[in-house]
Amino acid sequence: MSRSGGGGRRPDSRHDQPTQAPAPPFQRGTDRGSHYGSGAAPSSSHAASTSTAPAPSSPSISASAPSSSSVSTLVEETEQKLTLAALAAATPPPSSSQAVGFPVRPGFGTVGRKCVVRANHFMVQLAERDIHHYDVSITPWVTSRKINRQIISQLINLYRLTDLGERIPAYDGMKSIYTAGPLPFESKEFIINLPDSDPRPSSRERQFRVVIRLASKPDLYTLQQFLRRRHFEAPYEVIQVLAVVLRAAPSEKHTVVGRSFFSTDLGPMGQLGDGVEYWRGYFQSLRPTQMGLSLNIDVSASSFYEPILVTEFVQNYCRDLSHPLSDEVRLKVKKALKGIKVVLTHREYNNSHKITGISSQPMSQLMFTDDSATRMSVIQYFRERYNIALQFTSLPALVAGSEARPIYLPMELSRIVAGQRYAKRLNERQVIALLRATCQRPREREENIRMMARANAYNEDTLVNKEFGIQVADDLTSVDARILPAPMLKYHETGREASVNPGFGQWNMINKKMFNGGRVEVWTCVNFSTRLNRDVAFQFCQGLVDMCNSKGMVFNLRPVIPISSSNPNQIEKALVDVHNRTTQQGKQLQLLIIILPDVSGSYGRIKRVCETELGIVSQCCQPRQASRLNMQYFENVALKINVKVGGRNTVLVDAVQKRIPLVTDRPTIIFGADVTHPQPGEDSSPSIAAVVASMDWPEVAKYRGLVSAQAHHEEIIQDLYKSIQDPQRGFVHGGMIRELLIAFRRSTNFKPHRIIFYRDGVGERQFSQVLLHEMNAIRQACASLEEGYAPPVTFVVVQKRCRTRLFPAENNRCDLTDRSGNILPGTVVDTEICHPTEFDFYLNSHAAIQGTSRPTRYHVLYDENRFTADGLQVLTNNLCYTYARCTRSVSVGLILVLPLFYKKHFQSVNYLLFWQALIIFLIFIAAFRARYYIEDETSAGGSTDGNRSTAERNLAIRPLPVIKDNVKDVMFYC
């Protein structure tokens, strides 16, 4: 295996360039990936000589697929490579025979202007300690970490000076405690009496049996060796121990959400509306870096339920509480309240109750049997027992307790317990309010991070500093960085400016024409807005057509059928009617311009009908924007339309001139893949996997995408490659990778000689699992096309939600900051705060419009192409300038990217606020578009499988509607 973790040898640059001639089908070469298309000399890195079959008239795939045995053999070889116990001699072996050897860093980058930035990483120093891990068993079993901490805290208070040998353990809240030295026993049982949460004098203590047993002895030496690059497998167990120690005190004081802490004491809180508020807090994570251990701290905010009466909460769904709830409203209220804890306001001492549902009957009709076997109504019970006359008797009661012994609680006497996180999907108004409240300029965010670190006072904490000998630096870490140059962009030669060198991550279309202008002969427009009359809609289309023509497109001035206005309540009928009218004239509609209804929520339905039922390429426009007849808006829409009809707005000069290493010298396909999961509480929705791939070479400016539904919250993409045994056709190969490889071949007349695979959304603990499964799928897909076909692969994980923030070291220098005070686009870091040995880097490729820019972390897991640090960093940065829909660089490298304003729940969110907060991959568009297809089918009538269990719903994944072929290549721009 090569030093970089792949099996391929370094490609020889001394070879002929492929010519644009038809290539033969995928077939077996003398070595993996050795056989290239007609007119392309074979690479010396793969084969000395090859024989080529005659080229077919059209680039299609051979009908005879390789046998399943050859595919499985190639898969076994890939697994053997990935799990090899010893890498090449240049790479030190992993400590475990089962460890996956990720590529070591091939060196540090040198391209770009050097600078210094500050990172929100606080360096951590460790003292020598003899760490012991003990397993904790609490009986009866308790699910609440808060109660568990109370039990262990009581145990420490009682037995620290005696049975615990004066040790102060660090407790993780569940099954483990850690000590900085041995306890006087290996196993011991304790009986702990915890006061009941009901503070009444008559309440009884709860008794727990706690058993502590020695489990292991994590060794700090392995961590020290790893940080010194003498050990190449991260000792996560040791890092976990230290993380628990640093989290112990905050976990007792604040509300814990994942690796973040929130409290009303950590900053001003605010209202988001509809019974939801936000709390401020901070995120912390302990990470191994080149400088040693680092504590990554970032400010944060999250949504929580307001501690209000349930009746106040229900008024957000039904203003009039004096009448019974309709079935539709009752189901919404039930879904919104399920799982929330409430306390009764009419009792001084009261435990909290967890809501399991709401009654189907209003309280005026609801009867139950009390402890004395007396049948009575809820209203009667509260009147006789507490002398309370309930006011909202038409409302249903809250249901708590078990199904066998339900407890009925009046909404007007139930208050929502404070500190419960609101994990459901925020609506548009709530998202806007949260973003506005938490949007902070870099200088303000940096100071807030510094204040959070000081408030935690790690070095004054007895457990952290004295017991475990951990010291945390007082300030952010200064880091060496470089500012990569922006790539030169190519436009059409007939424009007054044929090229542009972007400054500060942005440029404009003034005096420029599209590199390839598309042609639109058959088009029309349908207007669903009631605010726009026929004349305004006509003026809008006229202005848009003129703009398209002025920018280099060939756009017919006259629509194929007259521009029409339609009822927004009859969208499907109007779209079908437009399709039928154009079809009757014997013409295929190339583009349908749609002015959306005034009320949001119809976008998903329009796209589903157009893309899966009618096969129409559509361009949706907001009525508010369309009515302004603004030239800048016309220009932005023209950019979108051009790529939808087969044009290209701009390309990289280096791509045209074939000067991008390991991309333009040989046919290279670039993949992007991600999985989007449903919102919390949507247990019946599948996860959506999306894969996109470049369809042109060497420009790398056109993309095609595929989507697939898979099991709920399944992270590994299941349909990269699949095969079935068909009774008639035999062994049938399929999958998204295979289909996209075929599409690339048909589009370029070349089979890919290299694969670059960007994978988003993978956590570090999932690296090995995802790599093993998905690399095998890539290998299987390649081998299914031609026996022995295995082009070298570079597999890069992209972590766009990393919590590292980079701040300018000098805020007043205009050559180091942009107008918002952020670091400049192109800033890259691959030193101090990066992985000690592996190939990763942070890249800030965009200019934030508001708030603090968020760098993206790229981590190479497999690299048979043997990229240099500069090669991959420059390539990734350059790809961020090829986004077809605007004249700005965007935040995530890979094949084009997009802010998440397409998600139907966020369509009207302020663009400027959303840009800096929710920029995501283009592949997300495919995934979310697919989610439209599913959600739209059930949004009107609720869930169609409400009586089935979660497991049954997960197994019975609905297939996605089939996207028509003529919109597959443009769905990301629709």
Side-chain angles (χ1 to χ4, degrees), residues 593-810:
I593 300 171
I594 299 172
I595 301 177
L596 293 167
D598 302 309
V599 179
S600 62
S602 58
Y603 178 84
R605 186 160 69 255
I606 289 172
K607 289 299 181 183
R608 177 182 60 80
V609 174
C610 288
E611 294 169 8
T612 68
E613 296 180 13
L614 303 178
I616 296 176
V617 175
S618 59
Q619 174 59 55
C620 293
C621 304
Q622 290 286 353
R624 179 171 54 86
Q625 297 285 356
S627 63
R628 295 176 179 175
L629 305 178
N630 179 270
M631 298 301 290
Q632 182 64 54
Y633 183 67
F634 287 148
E635 186 177 283
N636 291 341
V637 177
L639 294 175
K640 301 173 188 178
I641 290 176
N642 187 50
V643 293
K644 291 179 182 183
V645 297
R648 286 179 289 192
N649 295 336
T650 185
V651 296
L652 299 170
V653 170
D654 285 348
V656 176
Q657 298 179 358
K658 295 189 175 181
R659 295 187 310 205
I660 302 179
L662 299 179
V663 174
T664 55
D665 57 336
R666 295 183 180 179
T668 300
I669 186 171
I670 303 180
F671 284 96
D674 196 10
V675 179
T676 175
H677 302 293
Q679 292 288 329
E682 298 179 6
D683 294 335
S684 62
S685 296
S687 292
I688 305 295
V691 181
V692 297
S694 56
M695 288 292 114
D696 60 345
W697 178 84
E699 293 86 358
V700 196
K702 286 186 178 181
Y703 298 89
R704 180 183 179 93
L706 298 172
V707 292
S708 175
Q710 58 188 44
H712 180 75
H713 271 278
E714 171 62 61
E715 182 55 52
I716 293 176
I717 301 177
Q718 301 298 308
D719 282 346
L720 290 181
Y721 170 79
K722 56 186 176 183
S723 59
I724 59 171
Q725 187 69 40
D726 186 85
Q728 283 76 36
R729 294 183 294 168
F731 200 74
V732 179
H733 303 276
M736 294 188 284
I737 293 291
R738 189 177 195 273
E739 184 172 339
L740 290 170
L741 288 172
I742 294 171
F744 180 92
R745 179 61 174 274
R746 290 172 176 165
S747 175
T748 65
N749 285 336
F750 292 106
K751 67 179 181 182
H753 293 198
R754 293 192 189 92
I755 292 176
I756 302 173
F757 193 88
Y758 286 95
R759 177 63 159 93
D760 180 42
V762 182
E764 291 183 29
R765 293 298 182 90
Q766 299 172 301
F767 279 2
S768 298
Q769 184 184 13
V770 170
L771 177 63
L772 284 169
H773 181 94
E774 296 184 5
M775 266 302 303
N776 278 346
I778 293 171
R779 284 289 184 240
Q780 287 177 300
C782 292
S784 72
L785 295 168
E786 172 184 318
E787 188 173 353
Y789 173 61
V793 178
T794 297
F795 194 108
V796 185
V797 165
V798 185
Q799 294 175 302
K800 61 182 179 293
R801 293 189 180 91
C802 72
R803 300 306 293 260
T804 292
R805 297 291 182 271
L806 303 176
F807 304 97
E810 300 179 56

Side-chain angles (χ1 to χ4, degrees), residues 392-590:
F392 300 107
T393 57
S394 297
L395 293 178
L398 302 175
V399 180
S402 65
E403 187 174 345
R405 293 180 58 84
I407 301 172
Y408 298 113
L409 310 173
M411 292 185 179
E412 61 195 86
L413 300 180
S414 303
R415 180 179 296 276
I416 297 173
V417 175
Q420 297 181 82
R421 185 175 177 236
Y422 183 83
K424 297 182 175 67
R425 177 185 293 168
L426 296 176
N427 61 39
E428 296 171 13
R429 289 181 290 104
Q430 291 169 333
V431 170
I432 294 173
L434 182 61
L435 291 177
R436 283 177 176 163
T438 57
C439 183
Q440 297 176 337
R441 287 295 190 189
R443 188 177 298 185
E444 180 186 2
R445 190 184 193 98
E446 181 182 2
E447 185 56 34
N448 285 340
I449 291 171
R450 193 176 283 112
M451 289 172 57
M452 288 288 185
R454 289 173 183 165
N456 283 333
Y458 299 103
N459 297 336
E460 299 174 15
D461 186 283
T462 302
L463 176 69
V464 173
N465 188 263
K466 294 183 179 179
E467 188 74 14
F468 280 85
I470 300 174
Q471 286 191 327
V472 181
D474 296 327
D475 206 354
L476 287 77
T477 300
S478 292
V479 179
D480 292 329
R482 291 170 290 114
I483 303 172
L484 301 178
M488 187 71 74
L489 301 178
K490 178 71 174 174
Y491 284 91
H492 200 275
E493 295 291 345
T494 60
R496 291 174 60 184
E497 295 182 17
S499 62
V500 61
N501 187 16
F504 294 95
Q506 56 187 338
W507 64 103
N508 58 58
M509 282 290 292
I510 298 174
N511 298 327
K512 302 175 188 67
K513 288 188 176 182
M514 300 159 178
F515 183 77
N516 293 127
R519 177 180 291 271
V520 179
E521 294 289 348
V522 184
W523 68 278
T524 190
C525 172
V526 58
N527 170 33
F528 290 110
S529 171
T530 56
R531 76 163 71 176
L532 268 67
N533 58 39
R534 181 183 178 87
D535 292 338
V536 175
F538 179 81
Q539 293 175 30
F540 170 75
C541 290
Q542 187 178 40
L544 180 58
V545 170
D546 291 343
M547 177 61 72
C548 290
N549 283 317
S550 70
K551 292 301 174 184
M553 294 182 64
V554 179
F555 208 118
N556 190 348
L557 298 178
R558 304 184 65 177
V560 63
I561 59 175
I563 297 169
S564 61
S565 296
S566 298
N567 189 333
N569 296 320
Q570 297 179 340
I571 289 176
E572 289 90 342
K573 181 178 181 299
L575 294 175
V576 171
D577 180 61
V578 168
H579 180 262
N580 291 339
R581 290 171 63 191
T582 55
T583 304
Q584 288 169 3
Q585 296 189 16
K587 297 181 178 180
Q588 175 66 41
L589 192 63
Q590 291 177 272

